[in-house]
Amino acid sequence: MMKIDIHNHILPERWPDLKERYGYGGWVQLHHHCQGKAKMMKDGKLFREVDANCWDPEVRMKEMDDTGVTVQVLSTVPVMFSYWAKPEDTLDLCKILNDDMDKICKKYPTRFVGLGTVPMQAPELAVQEMKRCVQELGFPGIQIGSHVNEWNLDAPELQPIFATAEEIGCALFVHPWDMDLSGRMKKYWLPWLVGMPAETTTAMCSMVFGGVLERFPKLKVCFAHGGGSFPYTVGRIEHGFNVRPDLCAVDNPINPRKYLGQIYTDSLTHDPKALSLLVDVIGEDRVLLGSDYPFPLGEHHPGKLITSMQDFSEQLKDKLLAGNACEFLQLDRSKFQPVKATQ
């Protein structure tokens, strides 16, 4: 079966010294300390160690062949969003990241599709770079963070970005980032295990309660990690809307459940019952294979959970593995050939 994996992260193999380039710290650099491994360093502190599959398309394609993945939809690692920085510097970094991704997609057009990154903290510049991503680089969409500094995704300042995305047919992939790492969240990897699902749910509720999806009904938005806790708590969210409209319905009088069938999520749930609930709540046409490759919290054999679901028909499995991604990103399926897994 064809597999189009909507959720993958990639970095350039090298990029300029950003502290030197912009004149201040806070940036991530990649230090290649031994063959096939590198350290992501932030102001001299280790953020994460990554392997060659994080930057080398040849290594990625070998691993894709091993697991039968036809196409990876590439996006940057969220720590690179850099919404905190001076807008012109973030724009410059976005161009570095987007241009590197474009080279890979152009070199291997049957294996990779790109989602760009834009300086969301400066909406005019974000619109400018989004248009370049779509109209010049040929990307079908961009990846954005679950919030932008102090703005949730309902912020009035962000509306021009959503309006332009709808107008030019740019899909949005929303990824959690910038979780609380302090205090009670320091232990047990809680920012990733608890904070990320909460971030995603906050982003979804902000777009729903804030009327973003009402104002831009043709806007295509997909949320990472199976929609966080939203699919499980939508009943609570709707109940809150009904009993406290003075708090929940202040910007949009429409019941949140109305947007089920409009919202997309990836499939990354790690649990068959959770995946079954997700498909039931979000919709058979709105869940897309997403693995979070190449990181530890991802599905290490992309699509294996979907193919293992005994109560899913072959038609439904095909939608989840490839068909829905083609619809979401407006991809021509005939340009890709299924890859038979070697493992």
Side-chain angles (χ1 to χ4, degrees), residues 205-216:
C205 285
S206 296
M207 293 192 92
V208 167
F209 286 140
V212 175
L213 300 176
E214 192 66 26
R215 283 190 293 278
F216 309 111

Side-chain angles (χ1 to χ4, degrees), residues 104-288:
I104 293 172
C105 294
K106 291 285 197 301
K107 187 173 182 180
Y108 306 102
T110 63
R111 304 307 302 272
F112 299 114
V113 172
L115 296 178
T117 185
V118 302
M120 293 288 286
Q121 76 272 39
E124 286 188 14
L125 296 182
V127 165
Q128 172 188 315
E129 183 62 7
M130 175 169 56
K131 286 182 174 179
R132 189 179 79 93
C133 285
V134 173
Q135 297 169 350
E136 295 181 27
L137 304 185
F139 294 169
I142 60 172
Q143 177 187 225
I144 68 172
S146 50
H147 68 276
V148 182
N149 301 326
E150 296 303 311
W151 297 337
N152 276 324
L153 296 187
D154 62 330
E157 292 87 348
L158 298 175
Q159 304 310 296
I161 298 174
F162 301 139
T164 302
E166 182 185 53
E167 178 187 345
I168 67 174
C170 177
L172 304 181
F173 181 61
V174 181
H175 197 291
W177 87 300
D178 194 30
M179 302 81 66
D180 181 12
L181 306 177
S182 64
R184 294 185 302 121
M185 300 300 286
K186 284 183 180 179
K187 291 179 73 175
Y188 311 126
W189 215 16
L190 290 179
W192 274 259
L193 302 183
V194 178
M196 277 193 163
E199 269 293 319
T200 302
T201 308
T202 301
M204 295 177 81
C205 285
S206 296
M207 293 192 92
V208 167
F209 286 140
V212 175
L213 300 176
E214 192 66 26
R215 283 190 293 278
F216 309 111
K218 295 181 181 178
L219 182 66
K220 288 185 173 181
V221 189
C222 179
F223 295 88
H225 308 136
S229 60
F230 184 90
Y232 180 73
T233 56
V234 66
R236 180 182 181 88
I237 291 163
E238 180 188 37
H239 184 66
F241 170 87
N242 288 330
V243 300
R244 291 303 304 266
D246 56 313
L247 299 176
C248 301
V250 292
D251 293 323
N252 181 15
I254 308 298
N255 189 304
R257 206 174 278 273
K258 180 235 178 183
Y259 302 100
L260 299 177
Q262 184 175 346
I263 294 168
Y264 297 77
T265 74
D266 73 14
S267 62
L268 191 57
T269 58
H270 303 289
D271 182 89
K273 290 184 178 179
L275 179 59
S276 184
L277 176 70
L278 177 67
V279 171
D280 187 49
V281 171
I282 297 297
E284 293 186 357
D285 298 322
R286 293 294 180 265
V287 178
L288 292 61

Side-chain angles (χ1 to χ4, degrees), residues 3-5 8 64 69-73 110-113 336:
K3 295 182 188 177
I4 300 176
D5 188 348
N8 305 268
M64 290 164 67
V69 174
T70 312
V71 179
Q72 283 187 346
V73 181
T110 63
R111 304 307 302 272
F112 299 114
V113 172
F336 310 115

Side-chain angles (χ1 to χ4, degrees), residues 27-43:
W27 307 96
V28 172
Q29 295 295 151
L30 200 60
H31 292 179
H32 293 269
H33 61 286
C34 67
Q35 184 67 33
K37 289 189 177 292
K39 293 179 179 178
M40 296 178 70
M41 305 294 294
K42 188 174 182 179
D43 290 334

